[in-house]
Structure formats: C-alpha cells, structure tokens
Amino acid sequence: MRRESFETLRRDGDKLILLDQRKLPSTMEYVEARCTEDVYHAIKDMIVRGAPLIGSTAAFGVCFAAKESKSKDEFLSKCDFLSSARPTAVNLMWAIERMKRKALDSNFDQNELLKEAERIKDEDIEANIALSRYGATLLKENSVVLTHCNAGALATSGWGTALGVIKEAYLEKKISHVYADETRPRLQGARLTAFELVDFGIPSTLIPDSAAATLIRDGKIDAVIVGADRIALNGDTANKLGTFPLSVIAKTYRVPMYIAAPVSTIDFNTSDGKGIPIEERAKSEVIDPLDNGMLIAPDEIDVFNPSFDVTPHENITAIITEKGIIWPPFKENIKALKS
Ligand code: MRU
C-alpha cells in the first residue's frame, strides 16, 4: 500500500509538530505546539482539521494538560477547554475522554499518557486502512465517484476515510475518475483533496460545489463517498456543510451515498441528528475566504456560516467502518457495534 508523503502530526520530544493546513497547497509548513493552549488554537483555527485528526491532536493536548496541572480540578478544566475548541467533531470529545481515563488510572503518568496518545494515532491509521478495504468492495470496476470536503490523510492521523476508500479502490483498479467539490467556504476540497488526489496520481476533476447536481443528474457519478464528523445512533450524520444537499440529489437520482468513518466518529449517546451541535464559524471565512483582506462581499452584509449540516439517515446507503459495512436499519446495526 502506498502511503502519503507528508505527516499531519508527529511528536518530537515534548513538542507536537503539526502540518499547517491553512497554507496548503501552496506551502508545506509545520508549526509547533508546546502547551494545551497551543493545541486548542491549532484545532480552533484549523491548523489541523478533520474529525479523526482533531481527536489525535487533542489526545496529545491532554498530555500537555496533565503536565501543566497542579491538581485534578485544574487538569479537568484544561480538558474542558480543549473539548470546547470545535463542537461538532465527536472524535475530539471521544479522544479527550479516553485520555482522561488513562490519566486518572495511571495517576497522571506522562509516559503512560504519551503511549496512549500514540496508540490513538496508530489505531486511527489502522482503522482507516481497514475501512478503506471494506469500502472498496462496494465499487464496481471503472467507477466514477464524487467526494466533498477533505476526508483524506490530511483529515486523519494518516491514509484517510472517504479518500482512503477512494485510494484503495483506485489501487484495486475500481476507480477511473474522481470529482472533488471545492467545498465553500474554507475550500478543503480545492486546497486539500485536490492536493491529495494529484499527489496520489488519481485522475480527477475539481468542480464548484453547485456543479455536483448536474453531474449526478446526467448519470456521470456511480457513487458519492464522504466522511463524517459525528454519526448519531440512528445513522443521521453531520459532515461538512453541503453534504446534506448532495445526499438529496444522490437519493433523487438513485446514486449510492456512502459515509466512511471510524467507529470513534459514532456518538452512541446521541439518538438522532437533532442532538448534534453544529458549529457556526466566523463571517470572515465567507467574505474573506483566503484570509488576505480581499473581500468578496461587502463587510456590512450579515452572514450565516454553519460549518456542518446533518444528512438524514434515509439518504444514506451505507456507513463504512473498520468493523465492516453498516447497512440499514442503522439504529439496530449501529447499536451492535458498541461492544
Ligand atoms: O471543518 P473541517 O475541515 O474540520 O471539516 C472536515 C469534514 O467535514 C470531514 O469530512 C470530516 O471531518 C471527516 S474527516 C475524515
């Protein structure tokens, strides 16, 4: 299996080295995080992004929190601070809870905590590779697929979820072409997915988000494959804004809509999509998308900028996880994963 030529996060002694995704694709620049506060800002400001990578990064953030704290209460409040960086991706809370348990069980042993964080990172890569193999079985030879946002190596500790499936299927000669939505407003599709597709050598085309409907209606797409930030117990799935309309179009034209995500993205405590908190982000992301002061709308205009939307389970064909492919009825089949 070919692996990517970059690393999204790496520990170097007492520092965390993070690839600054805000600068891609033009610059491959790494930044250092040395304390809880640095990790919080790296997640909030989207130096790192993508649900599984947010989780792995936060796991190392908890190591800093344990080192910096003089009491259990101080440690717990630093963990709460980290959890508040981005509200939708449940991998953030999942990783912090797992690290909190390790901290309390090991009496805040730094070595044990660092080992647990490395384990979370390694398990993420293993899960991605496993789910990619399951996902590839869903595709026929020479499939043309469409994806939204970035659910690749850049969104994870390595390899990727939706893009992991696409890469595995490409290696198995099941994919002839990929369409990538540019993904307004932060352009993760244009900046990150297009970068990964070119890096991997997969024939691909970048499209404005609104071109997806035309391609699907015209029979040009065999499957839509996307990642997830949080999957509720009934299968309702929060993912990057624009996934929900894509699912409506896919359902209308009977194109399968697949969600690829590790089990750590399933929120077993939330029964349906109504319970998923949706992050609203700054107006500047919409009117100044390249963050260079070149406004594309008047500063006086009001802006609504939800970062995610919820795709109802009725619009989802199957959920691809490292434990296998989950088909409807999702509620029963997701519950069965909880062991
Ligand atoms: O705002 P982002 O870039 O963190 O959003 C990322 C997504 O929506 C991804 O599709 C999702 O996190 C899955 S990543 C494997």
Side-chain angles (χ1 to χ4, degrees):
M1 176 177 279
R2 224 194 95 181
R3 290 291 304 275
E4 55 275 4
S5 53
F6 51 83
E7 259 185 317
T8 49
L9 89 160
R10 172 170 59 84
R11 184 171 71 89
D12 179 8
D14 53 6
K15 309 184 292 255
L16 199 53
I17 312 291
L18 305 169
L19 176 58
D20 188 346
Q21 301 196 20
R22 301 168 305 180
K23 308 258 170 79
L24 289 171
S26 45
T27 315
M28 184 77 88
E29 206 173 288
Y30 288 84
V31 297
E32 292 178 2
R34 293 171 172 272
C35 59
T36 311
E37 183 105 14
D38 286 351
V39 172
Y40 170 86
H41 285 293
I43 295 171
K44 188 163 184 61
D45 302 341
M46 296 174 73
I47 289 172
V48 294
R49 31 65 54 198
L53 179 59
I54 290 172
S56 301
T57 308
F60 288 98
V62 175
C63 301
F64 290 131
K67 208 170 172 184
E68 292 158 13
S69 299
K70 291 184 185 58
S71 67
K72 182 177 160 193
D73 280 355
E74 188 184 352
F75 168 70
L76 293 177
S77 97
K78 280 181 189 285
C79 289
D80 287 348
F81 172 63
L82 274 176
S83 299
S84 70
R86 293 193 74 187
T88 305
V90 78
N91 302 63
L92 173 62
M93 298 76 191
W94 170 85
I96 291 173
E97 283 311 310
R98 180 163 155 182
M99 291 297 294
K100 261 162 64 174
R101 277 198 303 276
K102 180 53 83 181
L104 300 176
D105 291 352
S106 71
N107 205 16
F108 297 91
D109 184 298
Q110 255 313 292
N111 275 339
E112 287 293 311
L113 283 169
L114 287 169
K115 269 200 259 163
E116 187 73 351
E118 293 286 359
R119 244 189 314 266
I120 286 176
K121 181 182 164 202
D122 292 346
E123 284 174 14
D124 180 33
I125 300 171
E126 283 160 25
N128 293 339
I129 291 171
L131 72 82
S132 296
R133 290 188 174 134
Y134 283 120
T137 66
L138 294 168
L139 299 170
K140 298 188 296 277
E141 257 175 49
N142 283 323
S143 291
V144 177
V145 301
L146 186 146
T147 190
H148 187 69
C149 192
N150 172 265
L154 288 166
T156 63
S157 311
W159 188 248
T161 60
L163 209 48
V165 173
I166 290 170
K167 290 191 289 187
E168 173 63 27
Y170 176 70
L171 292 174
E172 293 180 18
K173 305 207 178 329
K174 288 182 157 181
I175 284 200
S176 62
H177 205 87
V178 179
Y179 285 93
D181 280 355
E182 60 178 358
T183 318
R184 282 279 291 152
R186 291 300 293 260
L187 301 170
Q188 289 94 329
R191 294 187 306 101
L192 309 177
T193 297
F195 169 80
E196 288 198 48
L197 287 166
V198 169
D199 187 51
F200 211 78
I202 303 180
S204 42
T205 302
L206 179 65
I207 55 168
D209 298 346
S210 35
T214 303
L215 285 172
I216 292 173
R217 183 204 57 198
D218 292 350
K220 302 268 170 57
I221 305 295
D222 297 305
V224 176
I225 311 177
V226 296
D229 284 83
R230 192 185 293 230
I231 302 172
L233 205 51
N234 71 344
D236 291 352
T237 295
N239 189 49
K240 180 54 57 196
L241 185 73
T243 305
F244 165 50
L246 208 48
S247 78
V248 174
I249 299 156
K251 190 175 184 188
T252 304
Y253 293 99
R254 296 192 169 79
V255 169
M257 174 88 190
Y258 297 122
I259 305 288
V263 173
S264 54
T265 302
I266 299 175
D267 180 355
F268 293 96
N269 298 317
T270 295
S271 57
D272 59 46
K274 286 197 286 295
I276 300 179
I278 299 296
E279 176 183 15
E280 273 192 46
R281 292 189 60 90
K283 167 181 174 174
S284 57
E285 291 188 344
V286 176
I287 68 169
D288 184 10
L290 295 179
D291 197 22
N292 61 0
M294 186 77 93
L295 299 193
I296 61 163
D299 202 12
E300 296 76 14
I301 193 75
D302 270 348
V303 166
F304 174 48
N305 182 21
S307 202
F308 304 96
D309 57 25
V310 176
T311 296
H313 62 94
E314 302 86 5
N315 293 2
I316 295 169
T317 309
I319 300 172
I320 304 160
T321 77
E322 74 275 26
K323 291 197 179 172
I325 295 163
I326 315 303
W327 299 96
F330 289 123
K331 204 173 193 157
E332 288 77 351
N333 294 336
I334 288 176
K335 261 190 195 157
L337 283 179
K338 206 183 168 178
S339 48

